[in-house]
Amino acid sequence: VTRQAGVGQDVVRRVNLSHVLRLLHASGPRTRAELTAFTGLNRSTVAALVADLAARQLVTEGEARATGTPGRPSPMVSLRTDRHVVLALDVGVDSLAAATVALGGHRLAHVRLERPRRRTVVDTTIEDLGTLADEVLGELGRGHRLVGIGVSVAGLVRTDDGFVHVAPNLGWRDVALAELLRARLRRRVPIAVANDADAGALAERVHGAGRGVDDLVYISGEVGVGGGVIVDGRPLRGVGGYAGEIGHIPVDVDGLPCVCGAVGCWETRVGEAALLRLAGEPEEGGRDAVDRVLAAAEEGDAVALGALEELGRWMAVGLAAIANVFDPQRIVLGGLHGRVHPYLNGQVAEPPRSELLTVREPVQIVPAVLADSSLAGAAELAFGAILDDPTTVAPQRTGARAARTQEPVT
Ligand SMILES: [Zn+2]
């Protein structure tokens, strides 16, 4: 909330609109009185902001309700899920997914396509994504309007233009993903692309295990191991937007070759193939093989438990590196690592603190709570522009005020 003198009125209004919309997006319906309390703005300002958001068809105001506290009943403000939607796409090694998502992370339609490891070539992937997108977009209601497309992909992404430099586990190099999708989907809306772990971090912070945490590391353990780092409430980007490649921290210099071309990356010790190798399963066994290992561990099978213990030892090595470099409040384990978390307690429940840093607060290490953080994160990416500046959506009512603020819809 900004009330700084010298800042233009329009800027202040935009910041306050964004603040109110983000509150509702992250925490669900709120009474106007609650919004007033949370924002610290005065009642009439909040009433005007809510009216503005309602005119843009972003929120709706219900009947006034008694709040149980002294004072007049306050109207309930909810996000509208019948108007602005985004298309979220997720490109993983084993599966592709598409969903239409409304404000608040509310999913309208959702499809996932499991695919064999060899079906990851670019052309096939674009075609499959197009088919999935057509399916979920075809189910939208008449009032729905697509305002953006977000894509998460298991690779190194230049976020400015959605260009994938390299995605080792997909076998991709230099793929103009946003451009290819724009040509296939033929929708005149912005397309935002991000690394799957960066997207996962975003979603877990807004809707999942990282709520309200400003210093957070999200680890996406799948075939590859990725990381999304949030420092002081902002995603850590690095010069080219490639920061957070936690899976490629060298932990074992005389170790195994990694798909990235280096030797002994953390991923070679804690990725899916490492677990399967330790458990005596084929490394390419995929999710079915992982399911078998976890089921065996559940029944107390010594080989499976031994594999998880060894995985946990290497998990602790990387977690210690992460904790020492970023000093996060919380590390959220997603994907495979979220699934194996219950078996890692012996190794990682004790915060990996070095003696040098005993002053540091213990790091909380928790599993992700969203079923598919990266897909949810793709939706967050696509909503980013509207959440940051709700005035990018033109008001629908006529009148002097609406006419004055009419702006092109992006
Ligand atoms: Zn590597």
Side-chain angles (χ1 to χ4, degrees):
V1 179
T2 303
R3 275 179 290 189
Q4 235 174 304
V7 179
Q9 283 288 312
D10 280 357
V11 175
V12 174
R13 200 176 102 257
R14 273 204 293 272
V15 169
N16 288 339
L17 285 170
S18 167
H19 190 50
V20 171
L21 192 62
R22 277 195 183 275
L23 262 171
L24 296 165
H25 179 68
S27 66
R30 293 284 166 194
T31 64
R32 228 201 269 163
E34 287 173 321
L35 291 174
T36 304
F38 289 148
T39 57
L41 296 166
N42 65 46
R43 264 188 9 206
S44 59
T45 304
V46 169
L49 292 171
V50 169
D52 188 324
L53 293 172
R56 297 177 198 278
Q57 301 189 315
L58 294 165
V59 306
T60 177
E61 266 192 298
E63 299 274 297
R65 275 203 228 168
T67 52
T69 50
R72 283 181 297 169
S74 181
M76 183 64 81
V77 184
S78 315
L79 294 168
R80 281 187 66 169
T81 56
D82 61 342
R83 190 70 183 128
H84 304 99
V85 297
V86 296
L87 172 67
L89 300 173
D90 181 35
V91 184
V93 176
D94 287 322
S95 67
L96 299 174
T100 41
V101 183
L103 281 165
H106 179 76
R107 244 173 233 185
L108 303 169
H110 176 207
V111 283
R112 183 169 286 275
L113 173 71
E114 303 295 333
R115 55 180 187 162
R117 287 279 156 90
R118 301 285 163 244
R119 204 179 154 83
T120 57
V121 293
V122 176
D123 291 354
T124 319
T125 301
I126 298 295
E127 200 38 55
D128 288 347
L129 282 172
T131 306
L132 296 179
D134 290 345
E135 192 177 331
V136 292
L137 290 171
E139 290 178 35
L140 287 179
R142 297 185 72 170
H144 282 131
R145 196 163 67 85
L146 186 72
V147 293
I149 297 170
V151 189
S152 65
V153 58
L156 273 184
V157 180
R158 185 170 68 206
T159 45
D160 295 345
D161 60 353
F163 186 88
V164 180
H165 274 286
V166 58
N169 289 300
L170 292 168
W172 289 9
R173 183 170 281 280
D174 295 335
V175 176
L177 184 58
E179 203 178 302
L180 292 169
L181 281 171
R182 193 170 292 119
R184 169 60 181 82
L185 299 172
R186 296 165 180 275
R187 300 279 179 156
R188 296 179 60 188
V189 295
I191 300 182
V193 184
N195 168 268
D196 58 348
D198 290 335
L202 200 60
E204 288 289 335
R205 180 159 180 266
V206 179
H207 300 293
R211 270 172 194 263
V213 177
D214 281 344
D215 291 278
L216 175 82
V217 177
Y218 172 79
I219 297 171
S220 118
E222 298 293 349
V223 177
V225 176
V229 181
I230 291 174
V231 177
D232 226 0
R234 291 161 190 272
L236 183 73
R237 279 175 44 86
V239 176
Y242 309 131
E245 281 301 321
I246 283 163
H248 303 283
I249 295 175
V251 295
D252 188 14
V253 288
D254 297 318
L256 302 163
C258 180
V259 285
C260 75
V263 169
C265 296
W266 195 37
E267 179 174 310
T268 66
R269 291 297 182 181
V270 299
E272 186 184 280
L275 173 65
L276 295 178
R277 189 171 60 241
L278 289 165
E281 290 276 351
E283 285 186 21
E284 295 280 309
R287 199 179 167 92
D288 290 346
V290 172
D291 288 346
R292 279 197 297 276
V293 175
L294 293 179
E298 183 75 18
E299 295 187 351
D301 178 83
V303 174
L305 288 172
L308 287 162
E309 191 183 336
E310 177 68 3
L311 188 88
R313 275 193 341 111
W314 286 106
M315 282 296 291
V317 171
L319 292 174
I322 293 162
N324 284 328
V325 173
F326 299 111
D327 187 17
Q329 181 182 340
R330 199 172 294 170
I331 299 175
V332 178
L333 304 181
L336 172 71
H337 293 154
R339 301 183 73 200
V340 302
H341 178 266
Y343 298 97
L344 301 182
N345 273 338
Q347 290 90 354
V348 303
E350 279 298 299
R353 276 192 284 184
S354 65
E355 285 189 32
L356 289 171
L357 289 171
T358 46
V359 291
R360 205 184 59 214
E361 286 293 309
V363 185
Q364 304 155 0
I365 298 168
V366 300
V369 300
L370 301 173
D372 38 21
S373 314
S374 51
L375 182 66
E380 291 301 310
L381 283 176
F383 269 127
I386 288 180
L387 291 169
D388 283 343
D389 182 2
T391 67
T392 54
V393 177
Q396 296 300 306
R397 284 176 202 161
T398 52
R401 183 192 168 82
R404 189 161 49 82
T405 56
Q406 199 78 40
E407 285 164 31
V409 178
T410 53

